[in-house]
Every structure is written in structure tokens, then in C-alpha cells.
Amino acid sequence: MQINIAKKSQAKEQDVTDEGIYRERRSILKKMGFVGASALLAGPAQADLFDIFSNKEETKFKVEPLKFKADKQTGTIKLTPEEKATHHNNFYEFGTKKSDPAENAQNFKVNPWQLRVEGAVDKPLTLDYDDLLKSLPLEERITRLRCVEAWSMVIPWIGFPLAALLNKAGVGSKGKFVKFTTLKSPTQMPGQANRFKGGGIDYPYVEGLRIDEAMHPLTMLAVGMYGKTLPPQNGAPIRLVVPWKYGFKWIKSIVKIELTERQPINSWNQLLPNEYGFYANVNPEVDHPRWSQASERLITSGGLLSRNRIPTLPFNGYGEEVAGMYKGLDLRKNF
Ligand SMILES: Nc1nc2c(c(=O)[nH]1)N[C@H]1C(S)=C(S)[C@@H](COP(=O)(O)O)O[C@H]1N2
Ligand SMILES: [Mo]
């Protein structure tokens, strides 16, 4: 889904930024009297001091085990290895390369967190970090995730139906759509601080569903995967799972869920309306303007080049459950 905006200036911009950070770090270290003396640094206190400049591997986000009702399919379905699911990500707030989110999101703060449920609801709610994990019974669901870029994974999510939360807030008759918003935090998310690093999206990332889609039992809010809380690259502390829709609908790190009367905008539709629609139902018969959607590369334990091309199914294989919601809708127009 990477788009080619001004490739040259992108390279320049990043060089400038990186150089800037480099200089800044050096000058701080210099003030501390560390430049040229790094060989003397050994003890834990010094290591801590260096931590503020370190990137990536040094500090790793800590996931916690979760209690949940296991999916019945456990053991009968081949899952995408956890290592792949957590290191091949789209989360443009942390960079546009597949490896960027795992590298850049490890210091992301998820506690404290606030998720607000508002708009046309009977009683607006605010959930804090503990509420997300504890206020509703957690269940595991193994689902397929099919990205619009024609790759897919099979992932065991842990969470609760979105309907359970919406019913808590009370869904009146005025709410026709649900709008979701990701956290905006440019200091933590380099893609939000720099237009080139963030792929040109106007942040915060937003998404939307029709109310019947939102209330559908297959639609869930996930707080975990592979038995534990979500790592930040996969959308901690809470993200959307809509199995029959392309991955870009599966908005991550949500801070607001709002019932609206009008169809909300969604980030990828806003950026490239000819390529990404509002509905984004997985559909092998409607090609992306730049590639076919007839098949997909299933990411398994094999290498990236291993032959695991499989046909793409209408509604990602969930047609029996969801096709009825789109009776009478032209799915070519409403892609
Ligand atoms: N906030 C936000 N949510 C996002 C994205 C993003 O860039 N920002 N990318 C989407 C896309 S394109 C996909 S395919 C899925 C990928 O989810 P995963 O990294 O957990 O596999 O997240 C979706 N949710
Ligand atoms: Mo995607």
C-alpha cells in the first residue's frame, strides 16, 4: 500500500532528520562529557543514561498473559507463527516499512490509556487500561487477516465483541455509523511527526463501520493475541478485528469510538479514494487498480519466497455470515 510520493524528497527529508537527531545526541553526550569516553562506560547507571538515546532492541515492550475462553478451532488450524505476525506489520504511525513498527514501537505507552465511547449513545463511557482488559469477558478467536496488499495471516485474537461494548453505552436509533480514532501522539509516533515517514496520511488514523457491521457478532475489539496482551506494533492496547474486511479497516490503538449519523471518513479512502473504499470487503472479483485481488500470499512458517499462494475468498471466507448485510448493494461501486 506504500505510495510513491516524492521519492527523492523523501530520502532527503529522512537524511536531514537523521542527521539532526545524530547531532543532537552527540551534543547532549558531549555536554555530559561522554564523547570519546565511551570505553569507560560500564556500570548499570551509565547504561541507564544511555537508554534515553538507545533505539529498538534495548527496551522491549512487555506483554502480559491473559485469561480467556479458548477458540474451539485451537489445534486444528495452522496459525501464522507469532514471530511473523509481530514483525511484518502495517502501522504507518511507526513507519511505512513492514519491519518499522516492531522496531519503533517498543517504548509506546499503553498504560494509562483512555478509550472514550461517545456520540449518539445513551451514556458515554470512558474505559481506562484495566477496564479494557477486565470489564468484559475475554474470548479467543482465530481469524484470517487479509491485507489489501494481497498477503494474509491466520491469527489467534483475544478480545470481546464490539457489540458488547456498544450495548453497554446504549445504541439509540440515531447512530447509523461508528467512527474509530487512533491515538495522536507525534512524540511517540514518528510517522505522525513527519509527513514522509507517515506515508502521507492525515493523522490521527480514522476508520468507520456501518452500525449493522459494527454490531455483527464477528466484529471484535482485540486486546490480545497468541494468549497475551497485544504488542504495540499490533495495536496495543486495543484494536479492531473485522475478519471479512481488508486489513486497513482493522484500526489500531483506538482512543475514541463514536456513534455518528453520517458515514465517517476513513484514512485510506481520504488519501486515495480510487484505490481504497469505505466498505473494503475482501472481494477477489474487484481488483485493486494496480494489482489483482484474486489470490493472496499466506504468510506461514515458510520463507517469504515459499510457495503459499492461495485463492482469495469472497468476504475472506465469512460470506455465509455477512453477505446478507450487503443485499442490493453494488459491491463494485461500493468497494
Ligand atoms: N492506526 C493504524 N491502524 C492500522 C494501520 C495503520 O497504519 N495505522 N494499518 C492497517 C493495515 S493496512 C493492516 S493490513 C493492519 C495490519 O495489522 P497487523 O500489523 O496487526 O497485522 O492494520 C491496520 N490498522
Ligand atoms: Mo493492509
Side-chain angles (χ1 to χ4, degrees):
M1 196 144 56
Q2 169 103 58
I3 42 159
N4 298 323
I5 32 164
K7 269 261 164 73
K8 268 191 189 154
S9 59
Q10 179 178 358
K12 268 187 214 148
E13 177 78 14
Q14 276 170 0
D15 290 344
V16 170
T17 309
D18 291 344
E19 175 71 1
I21 290 167
Y22 175 71
R23 281 182 195 286
E24 185 183 67
R25 284 181 189 173
R26 267 191 79 80
S27 79
I28 294 170
L29 288 172
K30 214 169 181 177
K31 274 187 204 134
M32 293 172 150
F34 285 164
V35 166
S38 52
L40 298 174
L41 291 169
Q46 287 92 334
D48 275 348
L49 261 175
F50 260 92
D51 246 349
I52 55 171
F53 307 115
S54 76
N55 37 19
K56 300 139 200 179
E57 302 84 5
E58 306 281 321
T59 39
K60 197 154 186 312
F61 186 89
K62 282 197 180 61
V63 292
E64 300 160 43
L66 285 172
K67 282 214 171 78
F68 53 90
K69 185 167 157 266
D71 189 307
K72 287 197 192 77
Q73 306 171 95
T74 302
T76 67
I77 291 186
K78 199 166 179 223
L79 302 177
T80 294
E82 183 177 353
E83 181 67 14
K84 293 256 165 89
T86 56
H87 288 82
H88 177 280
N89 301 102
N90 276 332
F91 200 166
Y92 276 22
E93 285 88 334
F94 292 104
T96 57
K97 277 196 308 194
K98 294 287 178 283
S99 56
D100 283 342
E103 276 183 26
N104 299 331
Q106 296 308 309
N107 296 317
F108 188 56
K109 277 238 161 335
V110 300
N111 190 5
W113 193 266
Q114 280 207 335
L115 169 64
R116 287 185 298 148
V117 184
E118 57 182 46
V121 292
D122 300 333
K123 42 175 191 319
L125 304 173
T126 302
L127 289 85
D128 67 18
Y129 181 77
D130 286 335
D131 296 332
L132 299 180
L133 302 184
K134 286 169 191 156
S135 64
L136 289 157
L138 299 181
E139 57 186 276
E140 180 184 43
R141 290 196 200 169
I142 301 173
T143 81
R144 296 144 57 81
L145 161 62
R146 202 313 191 159
C147 175
V148 77
E149 297 165 327
W151 53 264
S152 63
M153 299 194 189
V154 178
I155 299 178
W157 302 103
I158 298 154
F160 48 82
L162 172 60
L165 178 60
L166 292 179
N167 283 333
K168 263 195 162 192
V171 178
S173 57
K174 269 174 123 187
K176 303 275 189 282
F177 295 90
V178 182
K179 178 183 173 183
F180 305 84
T181 307
T182 292
L183 178 73
K184 184 160 185 190
S185 178
T187 54
Q188 297 192 84
M189 296 167 150
Q192 291 184 340
N194 179 318
R195 177 164 110 71
F196 297 100
K197 287 190 181 173
I201 289 173
D202 185 9
Y203 291 103
Y205 196 97
V206 287
E207 257 305 336
L209 294 172
R210 234 169 45 186
I211 189 72
D212 56 335
E213 299 176 322
M215 298 300 283
H216 193 282
L218 280 181
T219 304
M220 90 189 285
L221 286 171
V223 296
M225 66 197 291
Y226 297 90
K228 297 153 290 193
T229 49
L230 291 172
Q233 61 267 37
N234 293 91
I238 189 161
R239 62 94 56 85
L240 188 64
V241 169
V242 246
W244 71 97
K245 291 181 182 284
Y246 288 124
F248 68 86
K249 299 294 290 182
W250 301 37
I251 183 171
K252 294 175 171 180
S253 305
I254 304 168
V255 292
K256 192 161 69 174
I257 298 177
E258 202 178 345
L259 257 72
T260 63
E261 286 180 58
R262 302 254 194 103
Q263 181 176 307
I265 52 160
N266 54 311
S267 288
W268 277 102
N269 175 250
Q270 187 180 38
L271 186 65
L272 294 166
N274 301 328
E275 304 191 10
Y276 309 105
F278 173 77
Y279 283 94
N281 293 321
V282 175
N283 192 341
E285 281 164 26
V286 177
D287 286 339
H288 184 277
R290 293 184 276 131
W291 59 83
S292 164
Q293 293 292 29
S295 68
E296 66 205 49
R297 180 169 58 83
L298 178 64
I299 298 180
T300 60
S301 45
L304 279 183
L305 298 174
S306 72
R307 306 237 245 148
N308 38 20
R309 198 114 209 138
I310 58 169
T312 288
L313 300 172
F315 299 106
N316 204 21
Y318 301 92
E320 219 169 277
E321 290 98 320
V322 303
M325 289 192 287
Y326 308 103
K327 281 228 170 73
L329 193 73
D330 182 343
L331 296 175
R332 282 188 177 277
K333 270 197 197 139
N334 299 281
F335 55 87

